[in-house]
Amino acid sequence: VAVGVGFYGNSETNDGVYQLTYSLYNANHTLAGVDSLVTGTMGGMQSGLNEHLSRLGEIFAARGDFVQTLQFMQQMSDNIIKQLLGLPDWEKAKVDLTAIADQTAYVEYYRWLTYLLILILDLVICLAACLGLAKQSRWLLTTMMVFGVLTLILSWASLGADVATAVGTSDFCVAPDKFLMNQTKDVISSDIVHYYLYCSQTLPNPFQQSLTVFQRSLTTMQIQIQGLLQFAVPLFPTAERDLLSIQHLLNNSEASLHQLTALLDCRGLNKDYLDALIGVCYDGVEGLLYLCLFSLLAACAFSVMLCAIPRAWRQIANRDRDYDDIDDGDPFNPQSRRITSHHSHQGNMHSFCSYSSSMGSQTSLHPPTQAVSNAPLSEYMNQSALFGGNPRYENVPLIGRGSPPPSLYSQPYINRYSPTMRATYLSMTEDQIRHFGEDFRA
């Protein structure tokens, strides 16, 4: 159960962190696009446009009105550059997002791999412990106890780390907007951060004025270029090339303006922000809670295992000690009876084996030749009832053969054994019984 919960929690946490890093990379792509458009537009205005305007000034030197138009276009170009410089510098924010995303992805990969190895280790230890208990293997149980102690320490350590991470993440998820505004107050103005975090239609766009001035300046410059193409080219044909180049530059700048307006809109970055919050505060925190549950269940399971294995060890030790304490010469030992059955042709033991139920039928019994006593019938019946009342033994002359020691021949001792073992006992001679009784007392 703990391993199953751990696999689910590890997967959920990985999904949440992946969603966070994906949103960070996507936001970084948006900021990089904004920075690229601003840099490209400013470079075109400062270098390309100024170069063309300088050559046109030389061409239109004889016409003061055309030169005045060029000067007006230069003012519009400077105005556009000024508005672009007023936009936030996204370079530092872009670098921060890239570092955070890369570091988060790096840490998450090793976290996921570490938990995967811990889960596999827990599963292997549990299976090996079950195998050791089933086979009653001491060395396997000892090894699993050592690994169990190490895994128990890892479980408690991972529980502490998961709880601390879950608490810290939960604190962030309580008020993420305030945390981000405090972290970015030295990089971006609070109005811009507030605009992207909430993205409400009632909030004013902090870039609206700059984009509007940019658009009007471009429109004015395009109108001036159209007039010069219409009136100056017939008089100065060499100016056509520079005028067309400026017109192409202004068209590209207008396309950049539209892209910049779309990228600076709050909806794109706000969506990335919400996706990152969902990944961290829902999937991430949920996965951490499941990992905490896994660590707790694993710690309890390994604690129980460490308590159960020593008891199993004592049971195995007691069983082995009981087997070691059995005397191989004890005729009541089944192993000794099997050994004597293979040596049934030895002289002394012929009568001992002939009374066994596995050596022959009733007709093969050869009791020792002794005088049959004329004891009363009640004594004979008592002895017959004493040994189970089995008719196989009623034909054996048991009376007058001498009695074993009372402590061995009494009812409590005899009733402990099966009829076959009782018959084996009766087949012994008086000397064997006496010696066996002394050994049994010892």
Side-chain angles (χ1 to χ4, degrees):
V1 172
V3 170
V5 172
F7 272 110
Y8 180 76
N10 196 31
S11 177
E12 283 294 308
T13 305
N14 184 256
D15 292 341
V17 176
Y18 174 78
Q19 191 170 355
L20 170 64
T21 55
Y22 178 80
S23 300
L24 291 177
Y25 283 125
N26 198 14
N28 180 72
H29 182 267
T30 301
L31 297 180
V34 172
D35 186 68
S36 176
L37 290 173
V38 171
T39 304
T41 304
M42 289 180 59
M45 290 293 175
Q46 290 175 345
S47 60
L49 183 61
N50 290 337
E51 182 180 354
H52 292 299
L53 290 178
S54 298
R55 284 201 298 265
L56 289 175
E58 295 175 358
I59 295 173
F60 297 152
R63 294 290 303 267
D65 53 345
F66 292 162
V67 174
Q68 187 177 4
T69 302
L70 294 178
Q71 292 176 353
F72 181 74
M73 291 179 62
Q74 185 64 49
Q75 293 177 0
M76 293 294 103
S77 175
D78 294 339
N79 196 13
I80 291 175
I81 293 174
K82 181 180 179 180
Q83 298 303 322
L84 292 176
L85 289 174
L87 295 176
D89 186 10
W90 302 104
E91 184 65 26
K92 187 175 181 180
K94 181 181 66 175
V95 172
D96 291 341
L97 287 179
T98 303
I100 293 173
D102 292 340
Q103 186 176 5
T104 303
Y106 177 81
V107 172
E108 170 57 21
Y109 172 75
Y110 285 101
R111 185 211 63 80
W112 174 83
L113 183 61
T114 302
Y115 264 100
L116 185 64
L117 294 178
I118 291 176
L119 291 168
I120 295 175
L121 179 63
D122 290 353
L123 193 60
V124 170
I125 290 176
C126 291
L127 294 178
C130 292
L131 180 62
L133 291 174
K135 297 185 67 175
Q136 296 183 351
S137 174
R138 290 186 174 184
W139 69 267
L140 188 57
L141 291 177
T142 304
T143 306
M144 289 308 102
M145 282 193 66
V146 174
F147 281 102
V149 171
L150 296 178
T151 310
L152 182 61
I153 297 174
L154 286 177
S155 299
W156 286 114
S158 63
L159 178 61
D162 292 337
V163 170
T165 306
V167 171
T169 307
S170 301
D171 290 340
F172 164 77
C173 293
V174 171
D177 301 338
K178 185 177 179 180
F179 175 81
L180 291 178
M181 292 186 70
N182 292 331
Q183 292 295 320
T184 58
K185 63 182 179 180
D186 297 332
V187 181
I188 305 173
S189 65
S190 59
D191 295 337
I192 297 175
V193 177
H194 192 272
Y195 170 71
Y196 283 114
L197 291 180
Y198 297 100
C199 193
S200 175
Q201 296 296 329
T202 59
L203 293 175
N205 188 345
F207 310 110
Q208 186 63 44
Q209 184 177 359
S210 299
L211 295 176
T212 302
V213 173
F214 190 1
Q215 177 67 46
R216 290 176 180 175
S217 300
L218 280 178
T219 304
T220 302
M221 293 175 68
Q222 289 174 345
I223 293 173
Q224 297 298 325
I225 289 297
Q226 289 292 338
L228 290 176
L229 286 173
Q230 183 177 358
F231 298 105
V233 170
L235 299 177
F236 304 96
T238 56
E240 182 178 7
R241 180 178 179 182
D242 290 319
L243 290 175
L244 291 177
S245 298
I246 292 175
Q247 186 180 36
H248 180 70
L249 179 61
L250 294 177
N251 291 334
N252 290 336
S253 298
E254 185 177 10
S256 299
L257 173 63
H258 293 310
Q259 296 178 15
L260 186 62
T261 302
L263 291 177
L264 289 176
D265 188 76
C266 66
R267 287 174 292 183
L269 290 177
N270 183 259
K271 181 180 182 301
D272 296 331
Y273 170 66
L274 293 179
D275 290 342
L277 282 184
I278 291 174
V280 173
C281 299
Y282 288 91
D283 293 339
V285 173
E286 181 184 2
L288 287 175
L289 293 178
Y290 277 108
L291 288 178
C292 292
L293 181 60
F294 152 71
S295 299
L296 184 61
L297 292 177
C300 295
F302 281 106
S303 299
V304 172
M305 187 183 75
L306 293 177
C307 294
I309 287 181
R311 296 178 63 86
W313 182 281
R314 288 193 294 269
Q315 294 292 336
I316 296 174
N318 292 335
R319 184 203 63 178
D320 295 341
R321 186 167 60 251
D322 293 341
Y323 278 115
D324 293 339
D325 292 341
I326 295 177
D327 187 6
D328 293 336
D330 187 2
F332 298 102
N333 184 6
Q335 184 176 0
S336 176
R337 291 172 56 194
R338 288 193 295 268
I339 294 175
T340 55
S341 65
H342 290 289
H343 302 81
S344 59
H345 296 289
Q346 296 179 1
N348 300 3
M349 304 303 292
H350 177 73
S351 62
F352 176 78
C353 297
S354 62
Y355 281 76
S356 175
S357 60
S358 61
M359 296 300 294
S361 61
Q362 179 180 350
T363 58
S364 65
L365 298 175
H366 299 282
T369 57
Q370 296 183 7
V372 178
S373 173
N374 294 326
L377 180 61
S378 60
E379 182 180 354
Y380 175 80
M381 294 302 293
N382 288 336
Q383 292 190 9
S384 176
L386 178 63
F387 296 106
N390 195 331
R392 287 186 61 177
Y393 308 104
E394 293 181 359
N395 295 332
V396 181
L398 304 178
I399 305 172
R401 294 184 51 190
S403 60
S407 60
L408 295 176
Y409 203 70
S410 60
Q411 185 73 18
Y413 285 93
I414 294 298
N415 288 340
R416 291 183 181 182
Y417 306 107
S418 63
T420 302
M421 297 179 68
R422 290 196 295 265
T424 303
Y425 179 82
L426 293 175
S427 67
M428 300 168 63
T429 62
E430 290 187 32
D431 293 335
Q432 291 174 339
I433 292 174
R434 187 176 300 105
H435 290 309
F436 174 74
E438 295 173 358
D439 293 339
F440 189 86
R441 292 192 190 93

